[in-house]
Amino acid sequence: MMDKADYILRAEYVVTMDGEAGEPVFRDGAVAVKDGTIAGVGPEADIEKRFGIGRAGQDRTGAGADWGDGRLKVILPGFVNTHTHAPMVFLRGLADDLPLKEWLEKHVWPMEDKWLGPEFINDATELACLEMLKAGVTTYNDMYFFEGDAAGAVARLGMRAVLGAGIVDFPTRVAKNTDEYFERAEEFIGRFLGEELITPSIAPHAPYTCGPEGQKRAALMAEKYDIPVHMHLSETKWEVGEIQRLYGKRPVDFLDGLGVLTSRVIAAHCVWLDDGEIEILAKRGVSVSHCAESNLKLASGFAPAAKMLRAGVKITLGTDGAASNNDLNILGEMGTASKLQKTVSGDPTAMDARSVVRMATRWGAEALGLGGRTGSISEGKSADLVMLDLDKPHLTPIYNIYSHLVHSARPSDVQHVMVAGRPVIKDGRLTNADEREILEKARMWGKRISQESVSKQVL
Ligand SMILES: [Zn+2]
């Protein structure tokens, strides 16, 4: 008897990143999708035979036909952006050319204090999701406030996200004190636990903004609900000095002493680590979100990503918020991370293209606890897929598809994107909402924010 599929997607290259199968790339490959799940992947002829769907267009839903005949195209797993603050797209380019501490304390935090609220979060998240989907990102890992309002926008646009309820030791518009932060976080987690596209997480901001009590409570809450912990860690030299001053230890040693470093933790940045700290991260199974462009822009330093990789730390890639990047372009991040690590480690073989694609896909999903659901084109996983158009001058000719993905491809090459088998970008355009409306709303917010800033002379 024939296996069943709703439709078949074809491409000249199918880059699977399937770890158990040895990450095969199929030339003239095909992916069969059934009920939003990958039902089969392999050479086109084998898949057509197995599912009994040929080129004559017997696709039951038509979604497969929308993706065309696959000539000069590549299908790959949707990218995973493992560290961002999506709503910060509204602060893009607002206060550049400043050190992290001054940028946060004098610009970002006062702005957030003035503007953050459900409407801001909804409108900004829509813009961020639009930007990410158009760059082939199907899953992102967020840390911010009012994540319940972000979830609405994410669901409407059909994206997948891990949304982290931010915890800090000081009052903000979200909460007055630690108890209130945790009450709100727990309520948020309860609301979204078990959802298909939204995974709640807990996000103790950083060791210098969320002290021992908050860190320990966050770890316990993560344990209780079986969810990820998302934090910043050892981002700047200042942070290392501050934690040493406060607790007499370096940041990783300090957190490890609290017992909060586990395989649930995804730690963004990890720029300033000594060898002992790298060893601890590897031993505890902590995943790192390497944010090369944000670190470069804020002059935070060069994360020892290649070294961590050699020590066995799972490295994934994040854009960080758009205010410190200034975009959510994971393809750009892949190229930057690879080139930067080659120079930093003095080794041109470091961070090879295939490893970088793995970091931006399967490893990202695994770091978020979503490895069984997304991150590779494997039978049984969700059909979170991206198709890139290779019929471009900067992608011609092709010798090594991984090299092109890391060093040559751009978001404008992304043609189609689907999440859980549902098309979210078709021919480069959003399917679930009006792009112009999202941009119009964002421009309106920009006007309001800049008028306020000028009158207060923040800019
Ligand atoms: Zn960040």
Side-chain angles (χ1 to χ4, degrees):
M1 207 174 119
M2 214 61 92
D3 285 340
K4 286 205 164 63
D6 293 329
Y7 52 86
I8 286 179
L9 308 170
R10 300 167 170 86
E12 202 153 327
Y13 297 83
V14 174
V15 174
T16 66
M17 301 319 291
D18 183 335
E20 280 170 34
E23 301 180 341
V25 174
F26 297 108
R27 288 296 299 270
D28 297 318
V31 185
V33 178
K34 166 93 183 121
D35 297 330
T37 299
I38 295 160
V41 55
E44 183 183 347
D46 295 0
I47 293 295
E48 287 188 349
K49 210 154 76 192
R50 181 173 153 199
F51 293 92
I53 299 178
R55 276 188 181 266
Q58 300 157 32
D59 294 9
R60 263 173 254 157
T61 65
D66 287 344
W67 281 36
D69 68 2
R71 207 182 85 78
L72 289 171
K73 312 278 192 245
V74 53
I75 294 178
L76 62 146
F79 295 120
V80 182
N81 180 359
T82 59
H83 178 67
T84 190
H85 315 280
M88 290 182 83
V89 286
F90 279 1
L91 308 183
R92 190 196 320 262
L94 174 76
D96 284 349
D97 311 321
L98 295 169
L100 175 72
K101 198 163 175 286
E102 186 184 340
W103 176 72
L104 278 177
E105 290 176 358
K106 295 210 174 123
H107 299 273
V108 174
W109 289 340
M111 273 296 159
E112 290 177 341
D113 198 44
K114 163 124 189 75
W115 293 107
L116 280 200
E119 200 191 344
F120 179 103
I121 298 292
N122 175 76
D123 295 352
T125 301
E126 279 183 358
L127 180 68
C129 289
L130 173 61
E131 185 182 352
M132 283 192 274
L133 285 171
K134 288 187 120 179
V137 174
T138 52
T139 302
Y140 76 98
N141 185 35
D142 204 52
M143 174 200 294
Y144 215 57
F145 303 112
F146 300 104
E147 291 287 1
D149 297 297
V154 173
R156 205 161 36 254
L157 268 58
M159 204 171 173
R160 192 184 294 284
V162 179
L163 301 176
I167 307 279
V168 288
D169 285 338
F170 47 89
T172 63
R173 286 177 75 126
V174 173
K176 293 184 295 295
N177 53 46
T178 307
D179 282 340
E180 201 182 341
Y181 278 109
F182 279 97
E183 272 162 35
R184 293 198 166 222
E186 192 153 23
E187 189 249 341
F188 164 71
I189 293 163
R191 250 170 80 200
F192 291 97
L193 209 60
E195 289 267 323
E196 185 198 2
L197 295 180
I198 307 285
T199 303
S201 81
I202 187 93
H205 176 267
Y208 65 95
T209 44
C210 181
E213 191 202 341
Q215 294 286 350
K216 281 199 244 176
R217 282 178 73 168
L220 285 173
M221 197 167 274
E223 194 71 40
K224 180 174 169 190
Y225 292 103
D226 193 18
I227 55 173
V229 179
H230 184 188
M231 64 169 72
H232 295 99
L233 181 56
S234 288
E235 180 174 1
T236 61
K237 211 172 174 178
W238 172 86
E239 176 183 336
V240 176
E242 179 70 359
I243 298 301
Q244 279 177 320
R245 186 179 70 77
L246 289 171
Y247 308 108
K249 290 176 178 174
R250 295 177 61 88
V252 173
D253 294 323
F254 159 64
L255 291 181
D256 197 41
L258 298 176
V260 300
L261 292 182
T262 68
S263 59
R264 289 183 192 290
V265 175
I266 177 143
H269 304 303
C270 295
V271 174
W272 296 91
L273 304 175
D274 66 19
D275 289 353
E277 288 178 293
I278 293 177
E279 216 171 281
I280 290 174
L281 293 181
K283 215 168 16 186
R284 302 285 179 246
V286 171
S287 300
V288 169
S289 177
H290 176 43
C291 304
E293 291 190 7
S294 171
N295 297 155
L296 285 170
K297 182 158 181 283
L298 295 169
S300 300
F302 306 113
K307 199 171 178 185
M308 285 191 268
L309 206 56
R310 280 198 304 275
V313 178
K314 187 165 280 173
I315 302 289
T316 68
L317 301 181
T319 57
D320 209 349
S324 63
N325 188 307
N326 288 353
D327 58 32
L328 306 177
N329 169 11
I330 200 79
L331 283 159
E333 207 66 44
M334 288 157 70
T336 303
S338 174
K339 291 176 192 80
L340 188 68
Q341 285 305 309
K342 290 177 188 303
T343 289
V344 167
S345 64
D347 174 8
T349 70
M351 293 279 263
D352 64 281
R354 178 166 158 181
S355 300
V356 173
V357 175
R358 185 183 306 130
M359 291 171 201
T361 55
R362 192 177 83 243
W363 277 11
E366 287 172 359
L368 300 175
L370 296 174
R373 213 183 295 178
T374 187
S376 67
I377 305 182
S378 315
E379 266 189 54
K381 283 197 189 183
S382 177
D384 295 2
L385 304 168
V386 174
M387 181 184 265
L388 261 73
D389 187 3
L390 298 169
D391 193 15
K392 301 282 177 81
H394 60 276
L395 299 174
T396 308
I398 301 174
Y399 302 107
N400 178 330
I401 189 70
Y402 294 117
S403 165
H404 272 24
L405 291 172
V406 173
H407 295 294
S408 309
R410 304 165 185 168
S412 54
D413 303 327
V414 171
Q415 190 176 7
H416 308 302
V417 181
M418 73 169 52
V419 176
R422 294 183 285 267
V424 285
I425 297 286
K426 209 163 105 182
D427 289 317
R429 307 290 295 177
L430 193 68
T431 59
N432 294 328
D434 185 344
E435 284 185 24
R436 281 164 311 177
E437 241 169 62
I438 293 173
L439 297 184
E440 204 44 60
K441 272 193 284 183
R443 277 189 279 267
M444 186 206 70
W445 274 103
K447 227 179 260 172
R448 284 169 71 181
I449 291 168
S450 73
Q451 274 163 3
E452 184 66 24
S453 306
V454 169
S455 65
K456 280 196 168 174
Q457 297 198 323
V458 175
L459 287 178

